[in-house]
Amino acid sequence: MRTKPIRFLLTGGTLALIAFFAALFFLPKPQGTGLTVNKDVPFYSMPWNDNPFFPGLINTADGKMLDGANVPSAEFCAQCHEKEYREWASSVHSDTGLDLLYDTAANNNEVAHKNRNGLEKTRWCESCHEPVNLLRGEVNPLAVVGPSQAAKEGTTCVVCHTAVKADPLAGNGAVTLDLNNLNNYNEALIMAAPSEHARNMQSKTHNPLMGSSDFCGACHTEIRPVEINGGDPLHLQSTYEEWQKSEYAEKNIQCQDCHMPPDPAAFIAELNETGKTPKRVVSHRFVGVNYLLTDPTLPSNLTTFLRGGLPPGGISLDEWKADLLEQQRLTLDLIKSAATLSVSAPASVSPNATANLDVTIVNSGAGHSLPTGALDQRHMWLEVKATDATGKVIYDNGWFDEKTGKVDPSAVIYIKVLVDKNDDPIYEHILFNVKSYSYTRDPIPANASDTIPYAIPIPADAQGTITVQTTLWYRLALQEFVTYSLKLDMILPPVMMAQNMIEIPAK
Amino acid sequence: MKKIWISSLVGILTLSLMLTACASPQTAPTADSVSTENAAAAEVDLSAVKAYAVEQASLMKESAAALRAGAEKYYAAIAQIKADHPDANPYEYLWANNPDAAKALLNQMRADWLEAHTHYELNEGIIAGVPTLAFFDDWLDAGPSAEEDPEALEWKLVLADDTTLESPGNLFHSLTEPALYGTVDKYVGLPVDLNGDGSLGVSEALPEAEILLAATQALDVASDQTLDAVKAWQPTLEDAFMAMVTMIPTMNEYFEQWKLSAFVSGGNFEGTSFIAASRLLDVTGILSGLDLTYDNIRPIVANADASLDSQIAAGFSDLVKYVNNLYDQEKAGTIFSPEEADSFGTEAQNKAAALAALVAQAAAKANVKLNLDAEGWSPDAPPVIIVVAPDPAPIQ
């Protein structure tokens, strides 16, 4: 009897299919690419507990370390998402690790606790500033992991786009990333299943966490753990809580609404004008207040130096400078949209008398306090300057000396004063050594105001109408930090947040 | 019927192969995934590493002694002039009356310094990387002064005029190099036109005799003590791995110093050290000592994981070639820009980080415990060097 070929094929095919499904059932599921500490990553120091990332609170979904080779870099993402990549590259988020100010501050802290696990303690900082670095085991006394492009990219794409959980009240980078299950991500896999890619990358429609303040809060809340320097936990930054207590939170206006539109100042203007939240259009510039790292006009290659190196791959120097210039414009506009100034003054004033003024600062555009963030460095102050009709300055409180970088010590200033165990002030952001802190003046909550009285003595020889110019200044860091920590021969200039001018006629 | 089974078998095998190919990605090799029993049993002979370290330390000591002798001659000459012509500036007098002898002596001292420094650099990978020897790296080559770091290495230098310098920094780059090359004003006796081009350029100066004498005597003493320590050193496998894991990833520091040195920054140079020898010499020196060290422990690593051993050997070869190539170009006259120096530094650091990680993996696979908190050796009391002034004598 002759067997027909069709029977061979049918029987063979059926058996093959059975074998296929059996194999699918019995084959091990993909395990992910995570590495086990002190097994795959040897000689890793964990002085406090079994959590390799502590005292940082960032984590991976499987609790394992990242294999650097399997972490897609921003340059990889840029192959398809060039616009987003360019926006991010000029933002401060692309520079959270290499930023010279951060890098120097981290080093200051590490050195301050030399021989006291200083380096391991910086995991607290790295949790937000160099998350990939930390998650792959690079923050260790011995170099036990190889280089990784993504590790140098600060808050790189996958840090946000693989986040599955966040604890904004715990802060210190309390985000969980599901990065180890990407399993050798490559272009072919993405192109073969774009919707799977969107799901993997937590696009907002798949994971609302990406669009909420809760996510940002995980890093914009900073609490020094007791393991750093004993004592009680020290609440150092509370931007998230400031927002949470504000009307912005009540109105469901999230961080992303103000900081991620293409033009944040325009967004705030429309919000204030209409009272309605404009439709969200997302830009990856993450506009904030860092007017220094976004300034491409600094002399002698200083921008590159401050940002810790040349622009990320795929962007020419000219393109990068143009992007930075736009970033700085948006930044300065946003700073100017945060506050308004008003002055109440007498109807007239005579020589040899005192003009009593009330200057009111209104936090009219920020969904958190003013100022906010690392307030031992970032500060704002008022300058009140009066001139007579001849232009002669008769009063100047809150001056800024452009030659020394000093601010009038009698100025009304909003800054946090840190002190060490000897009650000596800490100017160089050595948070590891802080014993306590105090505010020279409390930051102004969202939609609140602060009124400061001034008594301007009018000299006997003052001529005619008195002009009073009131300026609210903002500065990113203390001059002491620039001079003694960065060792830069530069004066860090302030930028203007708001200005008001009134005239008081002579009696 | 037989054909049916053949067809089925072919189908199953094909699908199985496809499934295998599509299966989960390979997990990274683990440190304990390879048996370490053989590794533990393997013998390692580090006598060649020790012989190399002793040879380099001996050669450094010889050059440091020659430098000291030169500085003593120089000091004696200045002292003679002070005795004979108390109203004259002794350096001006020396330069006016014996310029050729002064120049020859200075050139010889600089040559001796370079020789001593080169032999140290060839040993630095081992000395700085081994915890029981690292103290000497701080003292000789790397430690900051108390002015730069309040926690600087404690030691005292008592000059012939009874001035005491407390923790004045390391001997090569904080003291002897600035004294010999005139990069620190207070260490300059007299700026002079050494090259006769009619102008006073960088490093054209006669040294101030007190500091030069003190610094070179201290360098001689420290070189002697280093040699003794290296001779007494019993190298262990832990030492060898520790030296590699701690010293390989230091490339970026050296490249940064190179970028800021006169070799790259040229006329914009504002530093006080790394003017006599390029920092690339340090890098090549460090790597050559470590490369030799690895050659001597290769059997251990190969026993634990032959593939890892090949990767490490290739990594060393690649890094050494990369740095040597840069150094060769520089010696041939190429002056790199600071941006190029940055870019080279980044690439070297990437190569070094990858290599150091492989070495750490190898140590784990070979069951070698690297103690992160290993206490380095330091003397019972901070060193005190009291300078002995030679009698005055005319320059020859």
Side-chain angles (χ1 to χ4, degrees):
Chain A
M1 186 178 106
R2 291 187 63 198
T3 310
K4 292 181 180 170
I6 189 74
R7 282 184 60 200
F8 296 154
L9 286 172
L10 281 173
T11 315
T14 307
L15 287 169
L17 275 174
I18 292 167
F20 175 78
F21 286 111
L24 269 189
F25 185 77
F26 287 112
L27 273 177
K29 295 276 182 289
Q31 291 298 304
T33 53
L35 304 179
T36 305
V37 68
N38 283 334
K39 184 177 169 195
D40 308 319
V41 182
F43 311 115
Y44 190 81
S45 169
M46 294 186 288
W48 301 283
N49 52 37
D50 289 340
N51 176 353
F53 316 121
F54 188 81
L57 294 185
I58 197 162
N59 213 330
T60 53
D62 59 6
K64 292 186 172 183
M65 285 185 156
L66 304 180
D67 179 356
N70 286 312
V71 181
S73 72
E75 273 186 70
F76 173 82
C77 306
Q79 293 176 87
C80 291
H81 303 282
E82 192 193 345
K83 174 181 167 286
E84 289 78 6
Y85 174 69
R86 289 272 300 266
E87 290 167 350
W88 165 85
S90 60
S91 80
V92 177
H93 274 175
S94 71
D95 206 43
T96 51
L98 296 177
D99 163 15
L100 186 72
L101 282 84
Y102 165 69
D103 200 39
T104 305
N107 192 51
N108 285 347
N109 282 280
E110 182 189 336
V111 170
H113 281 223
K114 192 175 162 187
N115 301 326
R116 286 187 283 160
N117 298 119
L119 180 72
E120 291 93 328
K121 286 176 184 176
T122 65
R123 289 173 190 158
W124 172 46
C125 324
E126 299 280 78
S127 192
C128 288
H129 282 271
E130 297 200 284
V132 176
N133 240 5
L134 173 59
L135 290 175
R136 57 192 294 276
E138 205 167 310
V139 190
N140 189 46
L142 282 183
V144 293
V145 292
S148 153
Q149 174 61 31
K152 295 173 188 161
E153 294 172 344
T155 312
T156 190
C157 310
V158 290
V159 171
C160 297
H161 283 273
T162 63
V164 290
K165 207 167 99 183
D167 185 346
L169 294 174
N172 295 345
V175 174
T176 301
L177 306 185
D178 193 11
L179 249 170
N180 286 326
N181 287 321
L182 290 181
N183 285 322
N184 300 319
Y185 223 47
N186 62 43
E187 294 91 334
L189 283 173
I190 294 168
M191 298 302 283
S195 58
E196 181 68 14
H197 171 60
R199 241 190 310 279
N200 280 336
M201 288 298 130
Q202 311 287 351
S203 82
K204 196 182 138 230
T205 47
H206 293 106
N207 183 0
L209 179 67
M210 283 277 293
S212 86
S213 295
D214 288 1
F215 179 50
C216 309
C219 274
H220 292 275
T221 299
E222 184 182 36
I223 304 166
R224 192 185 71 186
V226 296
E227 286 78 3
I228 299 283
N229 202 32
D232 294 323
L234 200 61
H235 215 120
L236 290 162
Q237 286 189 46
S238 52
T239 308
Y240 174 80
E241 281 183 83
E242 292 158 15
W243 167 83
Q244 201 183 28
K245 290 172 188 162
S246 75
E247 282 177 38
Y248 288 78
E250 283 172 25
K251 291 179 181 170
N252 196 28
I253 300 169
Q254 310 289 319
C255 306
Q256 290 85 344
D257 287 309
C258 293
H259 290 279
M260 289 186 72
D263 188 338
F267 175 92
I268 289 164
E270 192 180 338
L271 178 70
N272 284 343
E273 203 177 308
T274 64
K276 289 178 185 166
T277 311
K279 189 173 180 292
R280 189 184 279 187
V281 181
V282 168
S283 153
H284 284 72
R285 285 184 177 274
F286 307 102
V287 179
V289 292
N290 200 319
Y291 60 89
L292 183 66
L293 291 182
T294 54
D295 185 354
T297 63
L298 296 172
S300 309
N301 216 22
L302 195 55
T303 313
T304 308
F305 182 63
L306 288 168
R307 288 188 73 107
L310 293 165
I315 303 176
S316 72
L317 203 57
D318 286 343
E319 287 172 332
W320 189 53
K321 284 187 174 173
D323 288 350
L324 284 179
L325 210 55
E326 175 63 1
Q327 183 84 16
Q328 198 193 36
R329 181 187 74 76
L330 296 170
T331 302
L332 294 176
D333 285 353
L334 181 63
I335 290 172
K336 282 181 186 157
S337 70
T340 47
L341 277 178
S342 61
V343 179
S344 74
S348 61
V349 66
S350 31
N352 229 359
T354 299
N356 290 306
L357 272 67
D358 282 331
V359 178
T360 300
I361 307 169
V362 182
N363 178 349
S364 53
H368 45 70
S369 297
L370 275 186
T372 191
L375 293 184
D376 60 307
Q377 292 297 320
R378 297 173 172 192
H379 54 284
M380 70 178 192
W381 77 93
L382 263 181
E383 181 180 13
V384 177
K385 190 174 179 180
T387 49
D388 70 6
T390 68
K392 184 182 165 193
V393 177
I394 59 169
Y395 180 85
D396 190 0
N397 179 275
W399 46 260
F400 175 73
D401 185 340
E402 290 176 1
K403 287 182 183 158
T404 62
K406 287 195 173 140
V407 177
D408 181 356
S410 67
V412 170
I413 191 164
Y414 297 78
I415 194 165
K416 184 189 279 181
V417 180
L418 308 178
V419 294
D420 65 13
K421 62 182 179 186
N422 302 316
D423 289 327
D424 291 328
I426 295 173
Y427 296 121
E428 297 179 56
H429 203 64
I430 304 176
L431 302 182
F432 287 6
N433 282 352
V434 175
K435 184 186 82 176
S436 61
Y437 61 78
S438 58
Y439 291 100
T440 53
R441 200 167 184 96
D442 286 339
I444 308 166
N447 291 331
S449 63
D450 189 14
T451 299
I452 303 106
Y454 283 84
I456 302 178
I458 308 297
D461 60 351
Q463 305 287 309
T465 299
I466 304 297
T467 303
V468 180
Q469 180 179 279
T470 313
T471 311
L472 186 62
W473 294 107
Y474 179 79
R475 204 170 181 215
L476 199 64
L478 292 173
Q479 188 61 40
E480 286 88 344
F481 188 83
V482 175
T483 305
Y484 303 118
S485 277
L486 301 183
K487 296 184 171 52
L488 283 178
D489 183 20
M490 76 171 277
I491 301 299
L492 178 61
V495 293
M496 194 180 73
M497 295 181 71
Q499 197 165 58
N500 176 291
M501 197 179 286
I502 57 159
E503 291 188 339
I504 312 174
K507 258 183 193 166
Chain B
M1 200 59 196
K2 194 179 173 186
K3 285 184 180 173
I4 295 176
W5 285 108
I6 290 170
S7 300
S8 305
L9 199 60
V10 168
I12 289 166
L13 283 173
T14 310
L15 270 167
S16 301
L17 284 171
M18 285 165 64
L19 283 168
T20 309
C22 299
S24 59
Q26 296 294 305
T27 51
T30 61
D32 62 354
S33 62
V34 176
S35 166
T36 54
E37 285 173 18
N38 290 340
E43 288 295 322
V44 65
D45 179 8
L46 293 170
S47 58
V49 175
K50 178 166 176 176
Y52 170 87
V54 169
E55 186 192 3
Q56 296 303 334
S58 304
L59 292 168
M60 177 177 74
K61 161 65 192 157
E62 273 177 33
S63 306
L67 172 60
R68 172 186 178 149
E72 286 175 348
K73 273 187 205 165
Y74 181 77
Y75 183 91
I78 294 294
Q80 185 71 56
I81 296 168
K82 281 180 180 171
D84 295 345
H85 308 280
D87 295 332
N89 176 321
Y91 302 100
E92 285 176 2
Y93 189 93
L94 176 66
W95 189 245
N97 294 284
N98 291 88
D100 292 340
K103 204 179 345 180
L105 182 55
L106 181 58
N107 286 340
Q108 183 57 50
M109 287 191 287
R110 286 179 175 182
D112 290 333
W113 184 93
L114 271 174
E115 191 75 12
H117 178 252
T118 301
H119 289 299
Y120 179 72
E121 294 308 332
L122 288 168
N123 230 0
E124 187 182 3
I126 296 168
I127 292 181
V130 172
T132 52
L133 299 174
F135 165 82
F136 293 100
D137 180 61
D138 256 5
W139 195 17
L140 286 165
D141 191 61
S145 66
E147 206 173 289
E148 296 162 310
D149 180 355
E151 291 185 29
L153 181 75
E154 279 185 58
W155 72 284
K156 277 184 196 174
L157 182 56
V158 184
L159 274 56
D161 65 2
D162 285 336
T163 308
T164 300
L165 305 182
E166 304 270 358
S167 299
N170 72 75
L171 286 157
F172 276 123
H173 301 299
S174 303
L175 292 170
T176 49
E177 187 183 23
L180 281 166
Y181 289 86
T183 52
V184 171
D185 286 347
K186 63 185 174 184
Y187 297 167
V188 171
L190 182 72
V192 292
D193 183 11
L194 280 175
N195 59 13
D197 69 351
S199 65
L200 294 175
V202 176
S203 81
E204 290 194 282
L206 290 180
E208 199 280 323
E210 288 286 348
I211 189 69
L212 181 68
L213 177 74
T216 54
Q217 285 194 0
L219 179 64
D220 186 41
V221 172
S223 300
D224 210 26
Q225 292 184 16
T226 305
L227 177 59
D228 287 345
V230 173
K231 280 180 179 170
W233 173 47
Q234 297 298 324
T236 63
L237 206 48
E238 286 79 6
D239 285 343
F241 274 109
M242 201 69 183
M244 288 188 288
V245 175
T246 54
M247 291 306 291
I248 292 170
T250 58
M251 295 296 112
N252 53 355
E253 292 167 33
Y254 289 95
F255 273 83
E256 182 65 19
Q257 288 166 342
W258 177 56
K259 182 182 84 176
L260 299 174
S261 77
F263 287 85
V264 173
S265 297
N268 296 324
F269 165 70
E270 290 175 354
T272 58
S273 50
F274 316 125
I275 188 167
S278 169
R279 218 49 179 144
L280 291 180
L281 166 71
D282 302 49
V283 179
T284 54
I286 289 167
L287 288 176
S288 66
L290 296 176
D291 199 11
L292 175 97
T293 305
Y294 187 68
D295 280 346
N296 282 272
I297 60 167
R298 278 194 77 171
I300 292 279
V301 179
N303 227 347
D305 187 332
S307 157
L308 185 57
D309 165 56
S310 302
Q311 286 182 62
I312 294 172
F316 260 118
S317 169
D318 181 41
L319 183 57
V320 168
K321 200 169 140 191
Y322 182 78
V323 178
N324 283 350
N325 178 38
L326 287 178
Y327 191 35
D328 287 344
Q329 286 186 59
E330 188 180 71
K331 283 191 288 188
T334 305
I335 297 175
F336 296 110
S337 68
E339 289 76 19
E340 286 174 317
D342 262 339
S343 157
F344 296 146
T346 302
E347 184 152 1
Q349 184 61 22
N350 282 344
K351 289 174 187 285
L355 179 58
L358 293 175
V359 173
Q361 287 283 346
K365 287 192 173 186
N367 269 348
V368 175
K369 304 284 178 225
L370 300 185
N371 184 2
L372 300 171
D373 304 317
E375 283 278 322
W377 175 88
S378 59
D380 295 336
V384 179
I385 308 289
I386 299 171
V387 174
V388 181
D391 292 334
I395 196 163
Q396 290 167 353

